[in-house]
Amino acid sequence: MTAADDHGRRNRRAWNRMADQYQEILAELGTPDELTWGWWRHSEHRLDILGELTGRDVLDLGCGAAGWARRLADHGANVVGIDASARQLAHARDSTAGGAAVALVNGDAERLPFADASFDVAVSNWGALSFCDPHVAVPEAARVLRPGGLLVVCTSSPIYWLCTASDADQPGTEIRRSYFDLHRSPGNTGTVRFQLPYGGWIRTFAEAGLTIEALIEPVPDPATVIPAHLEQATWRHWLANWPFDVIWKVRKPTHR
Ligand SMILES: C[S@@+](CC[C@H](N)C(=O)[O-])C[C@H]1O[C@@H](n2cnc3c(N)ncnc32)[C@H](O)[C@@H]1O
């Protein structure tokens, strides 16, 4: 295995190490009382991306502690949450112990342990698709979707990457890396994250047979809580002016 393809192992190890602290940060932000997308909690009710969920088979790619998966189940979906990190899944098991009907699977979104055409919807809310090679994980998600099925990927914007040095998390207001080189980036937390230029995402979805319905670039509410460990003024300025969370809404056609 080369350094360029060991991201699965590195991310699993990093998320096992970071899981407890990550859940503390989420707890600091408080539990939203609805389904929300991304770091800045854009309301699904307002954006209306998923449509009717009752009775739908939904796969949560990189479900973490199952915060999303539980809410999807509350909306009547049959939910499977998959995550590479056993420690994240331990939190998920605690959070679903109250009876939420969520099946939890320890596995890799680049090699999904599900049959073709098993799900109506697949979502990655800053989940596996932010840490997998899109050239592998997008076709794999497309494979497990039924015809007409929806894939929704909420992750960071290519613009955020351009404005963020590869060893930092905090964006600046200058371009700090090459647009054409966007792909694999080892971060300072031990994770390896992935991003593509806009054209690269469009090509990757198209090559997986998926049709893009929307690229949503929601502007955070100015009252959004920014975690205490982040520089408040820098982030407020950035979030007011450039897209951080972006949401790709793509669909597997009914007929090919
Ligand atoms: C930022 S957390 C987000 C968790 C959850 N979606 C949420 O909204 O809280 C990213 C999650 O993706 C998982 N992950 C990373 N790479 C993965 C992979 N290849 N397959 C499955 N899960 C993965 C991590 O273990 C982690 O739980």
Side-chain angles (χ1 to χ4, degrees), residues 15 22 26 62-64 68 83-85 88 107-109 125-128 131-132:
W15 277 104
Y22 181 72
L26 292 186
C63 63
W68 247 79
D83 203 286
S85 158
Q88 287 279 72
D108 183 351
N125 180 46
W126 271 85
F131 299 91
C132 287

Side-chain angles (χ1 to χ4, degrees), residues 29-41:
L29 293 173
T31 308
D33 51 16
E34 58 167 329
L35 262 180
T36 62
W37 294 101
W39 264 104
W40 310 108
R41 300 190 161 186

Side-chain angles (χ1 to χ4, degrees), residues 40-88:
W40 310 108
R41 300 190 161 186
H42 312 285
S43 157
E44 162 59 18
H45 180 67
R46 188 171 54 78
L47 296 172
D48 192 17
I49 295 168
L50 295 173
E52 180 58 51
L53 287 166
T54 309
R56 296 297 179 116
D57 294 320
V58 181
L59 176 61
D60 187 352
L61 295 157
C63 63
W68 247 79
R70 268 183 290 126
R71 289 216 179 275
L72 292 165
D74 290 346
H75 284 265
N78 310 311
V79 188
V80 176
I82 185 166
D83 203 286
S85 158
R87 187 63 199 155
Q88 287 279 72

Side-chain angles (χ1 to χ4, degrees), residues 73-193:
D74 290 346
H75 284 265
N78 310 311
V79 188
V80 176
I82 185 166
D83 203 286
S85 158
R87 187 63 199 155
Q88 287 279 72
L89 286 177
H91 286 284
R93 267 187 289 280
D94 287 349
S95 80
T96 54
V102 177
L104 298 169
V105 176
N106 191 195
D108 183 351
E110 291 191 3
R111 283 173 289 275
L112 290 170
F114 308 113
D116 297 359
S118 298
F119 296 95
D120 301 304
V121 180
V123 297
S124 173
N125 180 46
W126 271 85
L129 270 285
S130 303
F131 299 91
C132 287
D133 188 338
H135 299 124
V136 180
V138 167
E140 191 56 355
R143 181 184 68 74
V144 302
L145 280 177
R146 297 185 177 121
L150 189 65
L151 169 64
V152 185
V153 179
C154 178
T155 189
S156 51
S157 72
I159 292 175
Y160 164 74
W161 274 53
L162 290 184
C163 295
T164 311
S166 56
D167 59 352
D169 280 328
Q170 181 159 289
T173 56
E174 290 171 357
I175 292 181
R176 294 180 176 171
R177 44 175 143 182
S178 156
Y179 183 67
F180 299 118
D181 287 346
L182 291 184
H183 183 221
R184 179 187 198 278
S185 184
N188 56 1
T189 55
T191 59
V192 180
R193 293 172 291 181

